[in-house]
Amino acid sequence: MTRLSGKTALITGSTSNIGRAIAEAYGAQGAHVVVSGRDDARGNAVVERIRAAGGRADYVHADLDGTLAASRALADAATDLLGGRIDILVNNAGIYPPSTTPTADEAMVDRVYAVNVKAPFFLTQVLAPAMAEAGGGVIINLGSWVARLAVPVGALYASTKGAMETLTRAWSAEFGPRGVRVNAISPGVIRSGDQIADAPSPADTMMYGTPAGKLGTPEAIAAAAVYLASDDAEFVHGTVLDVDGGRTGVAVVAEPAAAAAGA
């Protein structure tokens, strides 16, 4: 028996990186997975990888633009493919356009909030009551370490992830008593799944002096997502699980010489 045997799961933004890793991990743990995203070629490739490993998966094209209609269309298509029931929803899809507060125009603000906050809000609006009526379910949101440890760029993105962490607690209070567990994962600085393992990256500097001392991997986030979706986490509600190598929980003390040498 695997940890998610017999479960069904929808993972948004699962054609690459963290979402892809979660989809593949869920497939390996016995869940029937719906992969979703905007890139059909990459989405179908993820499905084929899951199937080749012996798992069950399907792909749904989804451009989550923040409208209720787009979220409902994805929820309906995934529900049909999964036999009428979604047990696990992972709100992973998100965008991060490089910006500072002065350079974020109105269109960018609207787009980032549409994808990062409104789309998961409406997916949860549609699916959480259905989960409750079916006897229960699990919702996992993706936050970010920058929601609580500020950096001088990306204020817009950080604010959306702060919103998702707040919604995690609010939804836990709202839907937990009806059998729907809601939690979040807050990834740290994560190496892209397309990067060569252990190859130098400009992001390495963000992990100097942390307990881990290196970038995380999408697979580390996927392992946490498997745990939160499984019965092992049945008593975990309204929690934001930091999977960040100690970036937010431990004071970073880096030697200037060491940081300069690694830059």
Side-chain angles (χ1 to χ4, degrees):
M1 293 292 292
T2 49
R3 297 173 80 180
L4 302 179
S5 180
K7 300 294 185 181
T8 60
L10 167 62
I11 302 104
T12 68
S14 45
T15 62
S16 63
N17 297 330
I18 288 174
R20 178 177 63 195
I22 294 173
E24 292 179 356
Y26 279 12
Q29 290 295 327
H32 182 179
V33 175
V34 164
V35 175
S36 69
R38 293 176 294 174
D39 190 317
D40 295 349
R42 291 198 302 186
N44 285 312
V46 176
V47 167
E48 290 307 312
R49 284 166 60 100
I50 293 171
R51 291 176 177 174
R56 299 179 64 196
D58 293 284
Y59 172 70
V60 174
H61 178 92
D63 187 359
L64 294 174
D65 59 5
T67 62
L68 172 59
S71 290
R72 186 183 296 279
L74 173 57
D76 289 346
T79 300
D80 288 344
L81 284 169
L82 295 172
R85 173 172 172 164
I86 295 176
D87 298 309
I88 305 160
L89 167 65
V90 181
N91 285 314
N92 169 74
I95 57 174
Y96 178 38
S99 68
T100 60
T101 299
T103 62
D105 60 22
E106 184 175 3
M108 180 186 291
V109 172
D110 288 344
R111 175 64 174 159
V112 174
Y113 265 84
V115 176
N116 294 10
V117 180
K118 291 180 68 178
F121 183 94
F122 288 130
L123 272 172
T124 300
Q125 182 186 81
V126 172
L127 290 176
M131 289 178 176
E133 291 173 8
V138 174
I139 296 173
I140 300 171
N141 300 316
L142 269 292
S144 173
W145 67 280
V146 297
R148 280 168 289 133
L149 187 61
V151 295
V153 294
L156 174 59
Y157 173 82
S159 71
T160 66
K161 291 304 179 179
M164 290 309 299
E165 294 189 6
T166 296
L167 284 169
T168 296
R169 292 182 284 270
W171 285 336
S172 181
E174 185 173 3
F175 298 112
R178 299 176 62 188
V180 180
R181 289 194 298 106
V182 186
N183 292 288
I185 300 169
S186 177
V189 189
I190 303 299
R191 184 179 297 277
S192 166
D194 299 323
Q195 288 179 291
I196 299 172
D198 300 324
S201 166
D204 289 338
T205 57
M206 309 245 344
M207 293 302 290
Y208 290 148
T210 64
K214 62 180 181 180
L215 301 183
T217 65
E219 289 72 25
I221 309 306
V226 168
Y227 162 68
L228 288 176
S230 74
D231 291 342
D232 294 336
E234 66 177 353
F235 202 53
V236 182
H237 291 260
T239 291
V240 178
L241 178 59
D242 293 321
V243 186
D244 62 5
R247 190 68 182 81
T248 57
V250 179
V252 173
V253 181
E255 293 293 335

